Amino acid sequence: MNKRVYISLPITGRELEERRAYADKAAEKIREKSLDKEKIETITPFDINEDLSLPYSQLMGKDIAALLECSAILLCKGWEKSKGCRLEKATADIYDLEVLFEE
């Protein structure tokens, strides 16, 4: 079975294209680490939410639903200052998902 990692990063109030590039880079780093081991799939909020004009509650709802389909979460730098990331970490803790921190 493949391991699936959800990439959690601060987005609100930031430039979306910069955040998208950051999420893609974090996902690539995770996948590179798995080359000789088990296959790791990654999912980011940008993979889930095509329409970023939706209300915040709907975006977060989709993010949490996707997180629950994963076995681990990667918390990117600055996560502790983001309400969304803190919600995602709390969800991961409640459901006993593996919690990884960006180096």
Side-chain angles (χ1 to χ4, degrees):
M1 183 170 132
N2 293 341
K3 183 175 186 175
R4 197 164 192 209
V5 178
Y6 179 86
I7 309 295
S8 175
L9 71 159
I11 297 172
T12 301
R14 300 183 183 205
E15 206 283 311
L16 290 178
E17 287 310 310
E18 182 274 329
R19 293 282 82 194
R20 185 185 309 271
Y22 194 100
D24 290 344
K25 188 174 182 180
E28 183 62 31
K29 285 181 185 178
I30 290 286
R31 288 191 300 268
E32 285 175 359
K33 288 183 178 185
S34 73
L35 290 179
D36 296 328
K37 304 173 193 168
E38 65 183 321
K39 174 134 172 73
I40 296 179
E41 296 178 45
T42 57
I43 189 159
T44 76
F46 297 101
D47 297 329
I48 303 158
N49 293 298
E50 294 178 18
D51 182 2
L52 298 176
S53 69
L54 291 172
Y56 181 78
S57 59
Q58 290 181 30
L59 296 171
M60 282 304 304
K62 289 181 176 186
D63 291 344
I64 296 300
L67 170 60
L68 292 175
E69 298 296 322
C70 296
S71 56
I73 184 172
L74 171 69
L75 295 163
C76 293
K77 293 177 184 173
W79 72 268
E80 62 282 338
K81 296 177 184 172
S82 164
K83 289 179 185 177
C85 292
R86 292 193 323 256
L87 176 60
E88 291 163 349
K89 183 184 184 303
T91 302
D93 289 342
I94 289 167
Y95 287 92
D96 295 320
L97 303 180
E98 181 180 2
V99 178
L100 308 168
F101 296 91
E102 184 180 37
E103 297 172 357

